[in-house]
Amino acid sequence: MGWCISRVSDHGVGHSRKGLHFTRNESNVEELHLSDIATDPFVQTGVLAVVGALITQILLRRYPARRLVFQLIFFGGLTALLHHHGIIPYEIAPDTTPIFERIFVALAKIIWWINAAWLLTACARAFLIFERRPREGRLIQDIVVGVIYLSAFLSIVAYVFRAPVGTLIATSGVFAVILGLALQSTLADVFSGIALNLSKAYEVGDWIVLHDGIEGRVVETNWRATHLLNSSNDLVVLPNSGLAKAQLTNLSSPNRSHGVKLTIRLAPTTVPSAISDVLRTALLSSNAITPTPTPSVDIKSLDAQAIEYELSFRVRDFSTSATAKHEVYDLIYRHVRAAGLVLAPPREAVSTSVAIPTAAIAASSSSDAGRGMSLRLLDAVPLFASLDEAEKQALAATMTKRAYRKGEVLVEQGRKLDSLMIVRSGVVVVLRFDEDGGESEQSRLAPGDYFGEDGLFMGTGEASTVRALTFAEVYEVGQQALAKLMKDRPSMVDEISVTLSRRAKGTAADATLSTELSSASWLVTRIRQLFEVPHV
């Protein structure tokens, strides 16, 4: 004795119904043939659901885009199969439906509504997957997913179990009030988080600062709190309700660029306009600040002890502001020293007498006159840090000074130099041209920077073109003078090789050359060959 599932048509009560019908079969259960099992709607729906779950949850788990496409195809096939067998997921089954057919239809509808919820949540997250960066915080995502699953649950309750959803929601109001009072603090965080996300006060990735000094980059916003990663790489968790009441500054809005201001005090040894030009040149030589808007230099105060300047510039992102400040301070020192200017002492340390800057200027001038400009340049070049005073003086005596007008090319890309060029004043820009003639700026060089080491120490052509961005003075160190020093002290080859290999890492034009330059042993061999230095 068994149950046989067959498709029938009933006629006789003024209507016809095509659908599933379960009939009593008095014969043995073996009468079900394989073809009957294959066409059984319950078997077809079950097999399709199992196969779909295996493919989406296991095979395509690491491929979100492919999984979404498969879910769309699978859901369309499941919907077509149910409609083919007369099952409408969003309609309530008639009361005359047999019990076994009702159970099967209920299971099929539950499978359909669950897959509908999975598909909608996948579509909601697809926007974030394809954009490759979150536009909203986790809070909005969680709310959308929660609404989808709640809607699916209520639909199952209504269309599968035929429960009055409206009455169920109304009678649950008392429990909602009790639950709301118990979760008052949590609900405040939830609704505050919703308000913050809708108002777009900040987004994931923005850097914000609160009125009490707490600052950090937003890494996540969820239903309860906002997570910040501060400059110390510590995670700061702020409840949404407290954040909604706080006064905050978004340093990444309306765009990512961030303004920076520095105050510099210089001794009044020349006219303020000339000092302003030196400071503008220092800002022009920076690689960390943005060229637009143009950095500005404003005079804030003037007295007998100092001229105070305020430097204003922008960086691409707030996180780079500290690096930019360090670079600008370094460039100001180098340009000020190259121009013969003197930094003034702090306002708190200045007495009423003007003897402090005057003495400082005299000491600086006598020191410069005694050592010479070329000797001071050698002190700033790391390649010659190991030379003693006598060796530096001997090398400085051979250096040649060259001057270049604004826009003049110092060296063309591909040309081989046989000397090291050290920038004494001004700004030069390093440019690289591709095969199509396109021009890209690589870096800017300030006083104390050098170029030409590729041709001098490795015998190769320059990887870039160097052009004067302002009027520039450059000191030239010849190959013959260096060869004499290396022959007198062969260990100098190893010292120069180590310095060059450190500088070359990550800055070579191609990967092969970068590997060669990063090898100090290869550089030692190459320099010994070019300078004819014997092995020791």
Side-chain angles (χ1 to χ4, degrees):
M1 183 181 296
W3 288 95
C4 179
I5 304 174
S6 61
R7 180 171 294 279
V8 299
S9 296
D10 295 339
H11 304 278
V13 290
H15 71 280
S16 64
R17 181 177 63 83
K18 180 181 179 182
L20 298 175
H21 187 64
F22 291 77
T23 60
R24 193 78 170 179
N25 191 350
E26 299 296 339
S27 60
N28 198 293
V29 73
E30 280 79 11
E31 293 181 6
L32 289 175
H33 300 290
L34 293 177
S35 59
D36 298 329
I37 296 176
T39 57
D40 191 318
F42 180 77
V43 174
Q44 291 178 350
T45 305
V47 170
L48 185 62
V50 171
V51 172
L54 289 175
I55 294 178
T56 55
Q57 302 301 322
I58 298 178
L59 298 181
L60 300 179
R61 185 175 181 179
R62 298 183 179 180
Y63 307 96
R66 298 179 186 178
R67 183 172 61 184
L68 176 60
V69 173
F70 178 80
Q71 284 180 312
L72 286 169
I73 298 174
F74 169 76
F75 185 72
L78 179 63
T79 304
L81 177 63
L82 295 182
H83 276 269
H84 174 71
H85 291 297
I87 302 174
I88 309 300
Y90 43 85
E91 290 184 0
I92 301 176
D95 295 334
T96 57
T97 305
I99 183 63
F100 284 94
E101 181 179 348
R102 190 179 303 173
I103 293 174
F104 162 69
V105 171
L107 291 175
K109 287 182 178 181
I110 291 174
I111 293 175
W112 188 89
W113 281 109
I114 291 176
N115 280 274
W118 285 352
L119 178 62
L120 289 176
T121 55
C123 291
R125 290 194 173 101
F127 174 75
L128 303 175
I129 295 172
F130 295 140
E131 288 291 328
R132 297 188 181 276
R133 72 177 292 270
R135 288 198 175 187
E136 303 292 345
R138 288 291 302 276
L139 173 64
I140 298 299
Q141 301 176 42
D142 294 342
I143 290 177
V144 171
V145 172
V147 169
I148 291 174
Y149 281 115
L150 179 61
S151 302
F153 172 76
L154 294 177
S155 300
I156 292 174
V157 171
Y159 298 118
V160 176
F161 299 102
R162 296 189 296 179
V165 177
T167 304
L168 180 64
I169 295 175
T171 54
S172 63
V174 176
F175 298 100
V177 172
I178 297 174
L179 187 63
L181 293 175
L183 301 176
Q184 185 175 3
S185 177
T186 302
L187 291 176
D189 290 333
V190 172
F191 288 108
S192 297
I194 295 174
L196 289 171
N197 277 266
L198 293 178
S199 64
K200 298 288 185 180
Y202 53 82
E203 296 180 351
V204 174
D206 288 353
W207 193 283
I208 63 175
V209 178
L210 303 185
H211 67 284
D212 55 1
I214 297 177
E215 64 178 29
R217 184 184 297 277
V218 180
V219 294
E220 181 184 352
T221 58
N222 55 37
W223 59 273
R224 193 192 74 82
T226 296
H227 296 181
L228 306 181
L229 191 66
N230 62 18
S231 57
S232 301
N233 203 34
D234 299 324
L235 189 65
V236 181
V237 180
L238 301 174
N240 290 330
S241 57
L243 194 59
K245 300 175 183 177
Q247 178 182 349
L248 64 87
T249 302
N250 191 338
L251 302 179
S252 301
S253 182
N255 53 60
R256 292 287 174 182
S257 64
H258 178 68
V260 180
K261 292 185 178 182
L262 301 178
T263 300
I264 303 296
R265 288 169 55 84
L266 295 171
T269 56
T270 185
V271 293
S273 60
I275 300 178
S276 298
D277 292 338
V278 173
L279 295 178
R280 290 191 186 94
T281 303
L283 294 176
L284 185 64
S285 61
S286 173
N287 295 293
I289 66 179
T290 59
T292 54
T294 305
S296 62
V297 177
D298 299 320
I299 300 176
K300 304 301 292 184
S301 65
L302 170 64
D303 54 42
Q305 284 77 30
I307 308 176
E308 189 171 272
Y309 294 87
E310 184 179 75
L311 283 62
S312 302
F313 55 88
R314 283 186 175 270
V315 294
R316 294 176 180 84
D317 189 82
F318 176 78
S319 59
T320 64
S321 59
T323 302
K325 285 182 181 179
H326 296 163
E327 184 192 43
V328 170
Y329 278 130
D330 179 76
L331 292 172
I332 290 174
Y333 175 82
R334 289 154 65 179
H335 281 274
V336 165
R337 190 178 181 188
L341 301 175
V342 179
L343 293 171
R347 187 186 300 273
E348 299 81 8
V350 176
S351 64
T352 56
S353 174
V354 297
I356 295 178
T358 304
I361 296 169
S364 176
S365 300
S366 62
S367 175
D368 292 345
R371 304 189 64 192
M373 182 61 67
S374 57
L375 192 59
R376 288 193 295 113
L377 275 178
L378 292 179
D379 289 338
V381 178
L383 288 174
F384 308 127
S386 62
L387 299 182
D388 57 30
E389 196 70 18
E391 290 171 334
K392 288 181 181 179
Q393 290 179 358
L395 188 60
T398 65
M399 293 171 63
T400 305
K401 178 182 176 181
R402 299 182 182 275
Y404 297 90
R405 297 185 301 271
K406 178 180 179 180
E408 188 174 354
V409 174
L410 283 68
V411 59
E412 292 281 358
Q413 181 174 324
R415 178 189 168 190
K416 177 183 175 182
L417 290 177
D418 56 358
S419 58
L420 189 71
M421 313 292 285
I422 307 174
V423 180
R424 186 264 180 221
S425 65
V427 183
V428 298
V429 59
V430 180
L431 305 170
R432 183 168 296 169
F433 296 90
D434 54 28
E435 297 178 355
D436 299 330
E439 178 183 289
S440 61
E441 181 178 321
Q442 302 298 307
S443 63
R444 296 184 180 185
L445 306 182
D449 292 328
Y450 59 90
F451 60 94
E453 67 275 15
D454 292 347
L456 179 62
F457 296 110
M458 288 165 282
T460 60
E462 290 298 308
S464 307
T465 294
V466 180
R467 181 185 300 160
L469 201 59
T470 64
F471 175 81
E473 292 182 349
V474 177
Y475 276 78
E476 182 178 357
V477 180
Q479 185 178 19
Q480 293 181 353
L482 281 175
K484 184 177 183 305
L485 282 176
M486 291 181 185
K487 290 177 181 178
D488 294 339
R489 186 161 66 89
S491 61
M492 182 178 174
V493 176
D494 300 275
E495 296 161 356
I496 291 178
S497 300
V498 171
T499 304
L500 282 175
S501 63
R502 289 175 180 172
R503 184 186 182 188
K505 288 181 179 179
T507 60
D510 54 72
T512 303
L513 185 58
S514 177
T515 303
E516 293 176 346
L517 293 179
S518 300
S519 173
S521 59
W522 181 89
L523 278 171
V524 169
T525 303
R526 185 62 173 164
I527 293 174
R528 290 186 186 278
Q529 292 175 352
L530 291 175
F531 288 83
E532 299 179 355
V533 178
H535 292 274
V536 292

